[in-house]
Structure formats: structure tokens, C-alpha cells
Amino acid sequence: MKINIIGGGPAGLYFALLMKKHDPRHEITVAERNAPGDTFGWGVVFSDKTLSYIQSTDEESYRRITESFETWDNVDVVHRGQKITVRGNKFSGIARIKLLNILQERCRELGVDLRFRTNVADIGQLAATSDLLVGADGVNSEARALYAEFFRPDLSVRTNKYIWYGTHQLFHGLTLTFRESAAGVFAAHSYKFNETASTFIVECDAGTWQRAGFAGMDDEETRTYLAEVFGKDLGGQPLLSNNSKWLNFLLVKNTHWSHQNIVLLGDALHTAHFSIGSGTKLALEDAIALYRCFAQGLDVPEALREFERVRKPVIEEYQQAAYESLVWFENAKDYIHLEPLPFAYSLMTRSKKIDYENLRRRDPDFITAYEKSKVQSPKSKA
Ligand SMILES: Cc1cc2nc3c(=O)[nH]c(=O)nc-3n(C[C@H](O)[C@H](O)[C@H](O)COP(=O)(O)OP(=O)(O)OC[C@H]3O[C@@H](n4cnc5c(N)ncnc54)[C@H](O)[C@@H]3O)c2cc1C
């Protein structure tokens, strides 16, 4: 088969390498507009489940990823300067650039044709000369836009503002920090992804963003302002920019996942708010799901139909949980009056995928402390 893939992110690269490994006769080309060393963002997060899927599909990628990653099982919630730890949440983090380099290396070893600094401008022409064209071209996918009348995307720009930074302050475990300032409530999502650096995403509502005056600030002023808001948490370490810009989260869904021989994958196909995991995890799992449809011996139309049939319910469930989580963060100011323990409980159960019983199994000490806090201060019950 002649397979063309637009986009050398996690979705495009992992799909390319799995298909080539499965049948070396496939002619597979990945076109990526950036250079191999370019990347936006810092660390990415996986669950144990994602890693087990990687292990079962490409042991070598699994080995290289797990050599370079950080693992943790705690979520730390910092509210009013108090840190509440909730255990039993196993995750791993790796630098996005490291992950991309590993996948690029595996693609090269297997004979995938990687073309960097190559912008695909004529998608229709590429589709006409491919047996399969994969639009793994990210959240602002041009493939999705070009065939919008067939994919029928639903794009919703959310109200909160967020910005992706790094820092050399090390946050062991996923740390969710809330700080109130004169402008409003700020939340930071942070985690260590290698021995020297952590991801540090700051999020706030539109009113807070306006009152803080970010519209008139440049990169350095913004970082200085936020480093002050989170001064106690950053321990004097600066925030590091990597083309970091304020964004509004774009929630992407598509009614149809393929059109003729064209299929969307990863962020082009769907997004899920970063507060519940990561787009990287979904991108890799999409690649595995699509590959598995071809590995069953299905032809292109059958495989694309099967991919949508098996994967769509999984994504819909994940997006629902991510949506609940996103809405909680959009309304964080409504929970900020809670004492630290009920606040942490509300945060941990926000997606409705984790409930009281589930938390009790994960971390009985947390639930005991939460129960005690309700007795001591019944009014602050979540
Ligand atoms: C600014 C920013 C920072 C982020 N940082 C993090 C982070 O630190 N941690 C985390 O977990 N997630 C992060 N994310 C989210 C994460 O990057 C995505 O969820 C994940 O990478 C999705 O993988 P993907 O392969 O679907 O798409 P992407 O990784 O977005 O890859 C799509 C690729 O397609 C290429 N492309 C697009 N159009 C064309 C074209 N016409 N021709 C050629 N190439 C094209 C792009 O250059 C890009 O490399 C970040 C997202 C953004 C926007």
C-alpha cells in the first residue's frame, strides 16, 4: 500500500512505524513541516494502559520510552498553601522532544520515509496518489478543514485561557496548584518529566486574564507576573518559554472520521482537556487502534469503517470525562471557598469517573482525612 501521512507528531509517527513493521512492502511517507528537533511544549503524560499498548505493539519503542521517563502515583493538590496528597494514580512523563526523537528513530530503522521541513499544501492531490492518506496534522488540521463538509467537525473554543511553560522546579507527581490573586484564581498543572525539568501549565478564566492585563504584556512580563503568583510553588525558579502563548482550549469532535481514502488521527480528530491526561496518549492509542484494523487484513474502506466503529465509543467516553473536568476548571472560582480537603475531594471526583469508593480503594488515608475534615467543619463539605 502507498500510505501518505501529514504530520510527524506522535499519531503520525507511531502509525507509520507500526504499519511498516507489520508489512515492510508498504511505501510509507510522513510529511512534517517542522525540522526534526523543533517541538512545542515540554513533557507529555501517559497512563500505564498506554504504555502496555505500546509494549504489545512495539517492544523497542516501549524499551526506549521507559528508559527515559519519570513515573509517579500521587496527585498533589495545593490550595491555601496546604498540600494534600492523593495516592494511587499511576502516570509517567517524558519530554515531548524525547518521545518524538524515539519515534523518528524507530521510523527510520524500519524504513519509513520521513520528510521534514515539508509542508503539504495540496492535500487533494496527495490523496489522489495515495491508497491511504492520514491527516495526523494536529488540532488545526487542514485536512479536516478541506473536507469539512464530509467530516462535519464540531469545534468549540472554550473560555478559559491557558499557557504551556517549563521550569526547573521539580514537581514530583501531578501537582495541581491554586492561587488567588487580586485579579482572580489561577491554576497550575505541573509534573516532572525528566531529571531537571517540569511542565508548568497555567490556566485562568477570561475575567482573571483581563483583570491581570495579559493582553498588554509581552512574553517576559507574562512570565514575571505568573512567577510572582506562583512564587511559593516555584521556589525562585523562573518559568521557561518555548514559543509559549496564551491559548483557548479548542474542543474538537468529528461526526465522520474518514472520507474516501482519507482518515483523521490524533488531535485532528478529537481533543480532550489536558487536565485529564494528554492528547499524546490519545494520539498514540488512535495510531494503535487504526493499525490493528489493518493488521486484521481489512482493505482501506473496511479498515476505516472498523476504526470508527471500535474507537469512537472509547473516545466519546473519554471526551465526556474530560469535558466534566474542563468545566470544573472553568468554574474553579466557585470551589475556592472550600477548605483544602473538601476542595481536593471535589477536584479528584470532578470527571465523575472517580467516585468516593474508588478514591477509598486508591488512598484510604486520604478518605479518612476527608471524613475527619467533614466532622470538624461540616459547612465546607464538597
Ligand atoms: C503549544 C502546545 C503545547 C503543547 N504541549 C504539550 C505538553 O507539554 N504536553 C502534552 O501532553 N501535550 C502538549 N500539547 C498537546 C499535544 O501536543 C497533542 O495533544 C499531541 O501532540 C497530539 O498528537 P498529534 O500527533 O495528533 O498532533 P501534533 O503533535 O500536533 O502533530 C501534528 C503535526 O503535524 C504537522 N503539520 C500540520 N499541518 C501540516 C502540513 N500541512 N504539512 C506538514 N506538516 C503539518 C505539525 O507541524 C505537527 O508536528 C501541546 C499542544 C500545543 C498546541
Side-chain angles (χ1 to χ4, degrees):
M1 247 197 319
K2 189 165 178 196
I3 304 174
N4 275 299
I5 300 172
I6 312 173
L13 292 173
Y14 204 55
F15 179 68
L17 81 83
L18 290 182
M19 290 298 283
K20 189 73 181 168
K21 190 173 138 182
H22 181 67
D23 187 345
R25 290 169 305 173
H26 291 319
E27 281 174 46
I28 307 181
T29 305
V30 178
E32 168 54 54
R33 59 160 70 119
N34 291 328
D38 289 355
T39 189
F40 302 106
W42 298 89
V44 300
V45 184
F46 301 128
S47 65
D48 262 15
K49 209 155 65 171
T50 315
L51 284 171
S52 74
Y53 294 150
I54 296 174
Q55 184 175 23
S56 65
T57 47
D58 188 42
E59 183 83 37
E60 194 49 39
S61 296
Y62 173 80
R63 194 182 60 72
R64 292 180 200 180
I65 290 169
T66 50
E67 263 171 14
S68 335
F69 73 171
E70 295 286 324
T71 55
W72 63 82
D73 100 322
N74 57 309
V75 173
D76 287 347
V77 179
V78 181
H79 175 42
R80 298 189 184 159
Q82 192 180 330
K83 183 163 88 177
I84 308 283
T85 295
V86 187
R87 302 218 163 261
N89 308 280
K90 208 157 177 225
F91 276 100
S92 335
I94 186 171
R96 178 173 151 94
I97 184 70
K98 180 80 197 168
L99 173 70
L100 291 179
N101 289 343
I102 291 170
L103 301 181
Q104 288 159 4
E105 243 171 56
R106 284 296 289 142
C107 279
R108 278 194 209 95
E109 287 163 10
L110 292 161
V112 173
D113 183 2
L114 294 181
R115 299 197 186 162
F116 291 99
R117 300 183 187 87
T118 305
N119 183 56
V120 176
D122 194 341
I123 295 173
Q125 199 261 334
L126 193 61
T129 54
S130 313
D131 295 309
L132 174 68
L133 179 67
V134 180
D137 49 350
V139 68
N140 297 313
S141 169
E142 286 161 21
R144 185 183 68 222
L146 185 66
Y147 298 101
E149 81 181 275
F150 302 103
F151 292 124
R152 303 212 354 248
D154 173 4
L155 308 176
S156 152
V157 181
R158 302 304 305 188
T159 53
N160 265 15
K161 293 278 187 185
Y162 73 97
I163 191 159
W164 227 296
Y165 288 121
T167 176
H168 291 306
Q169 174 75 334
L170 299 181
F171 294 91
H172 304 272
L174 174 63
T175 308
L176 301 167
T177 306
F178 294 80
R179 292 280 172 195
E180 289 179 85
S181 76
V185 176
F186 288 93
H189 311 239
S190 53
Y191 49 88
K192 178 182 166 196
F193 63 83
N194 65 24
E195 280 171 13
T196 57
S198 303
T199 293
F200 197 88
I201 308 162
V202 179
E203 183 175 9
C204 64
D205 62 33
T208 303
W209 192 84
Q210 265 156 15
R211 284 187 293 276
F214 290 122
M217 288 187 207
D218 64 18
D219 173 54
E220 201 180 325
E221 288 163 340
T222 308
R223 283 187 289 129
T224 305
Y225 184 105
L226 292 174
E228 238 166 70
V229 170
F230 292 102
K232 292 201 175 100
D233 312 291
L234 288 166
Q237 291 288 347
L239 289 172
L240 310 170
S241 180
N242 178 358
N243 201 20
S244 307
K245 290 186 181 65
W246 285 108
L247 298 168
N248 287 72
F249 183 74
L250 182 65
L251 182 55
V252 175
K253 296 178 181 182
N254 280 278
T255 311
H256 300 292
W257 285 21
S258 63
H259 166 60
Q260 295 173 346
N261 62 338
I262 308 165
V263 65
L264 300 177
L265 216 56
D267 271 9
L269 183 57
H270 49 66
T271 55
H273 194 243
F274 48 82
S275 56
I276 196 173
S278 100
T280 306
K281 159 202 157 71
L282 291 183
L284 291 168
E285 292 179 6
D286 272 2
I288 293 168
L290 181 59
Y291 149 74
R292 283 191 171 142
C293 296
F294 283 104
Q296 287 171 37
L298 302 178
D299 65 18
V300 171
E302 286 166 345
L304 300 191
R305 265 199 305 278
E306 181 64 2
F307 171 58
E308 185 169 334
R309 190 186 70 77
V310 296
R311 185 79 179 137
K312 207 175 201 176
V314 179
I315 291 295
E316 281 173 353
E317 195 189 328
Y318 200 87
Q319 281 191 312
Q320 183 55 39
Y323 180 75
E324 302 286 352
S325 178
L326 168 160
V327 169
W328 193 99
F329 276 92
E330 286 179 350
N331 295 298
K333 65 175 183 321
D334 298 340
Y335 302 98
I336 210 81
H337 67 281
L338 293 170
E339 294 291 328
L341 272 159
F343 182 84
Y345 181 84
S346 171
L347 183 60
M348 292 303 296
T349 52
R350 69 195 182 279
S351 74
K352 304 198 170 70
K353 273 189 112 176
I354 298 177
D355 60 11
Y356 182 94
E357 262 317 299
N358 195 287
L359 270 179
R360 198 175 55 76
R361 276 197 303 276
R362 286 175 189 223
D363 190 342
D365 291 347
F366 168 69
I367 285 296
T368 305
Y370 168 62
E371 288 297 345
K372 262 195 203 151
S373 79
K374 284 202 296 189
V375 175
Q376 282 157 6
S377 171
K379 275 195 197 135
S380 62
K381 194 176 161 201

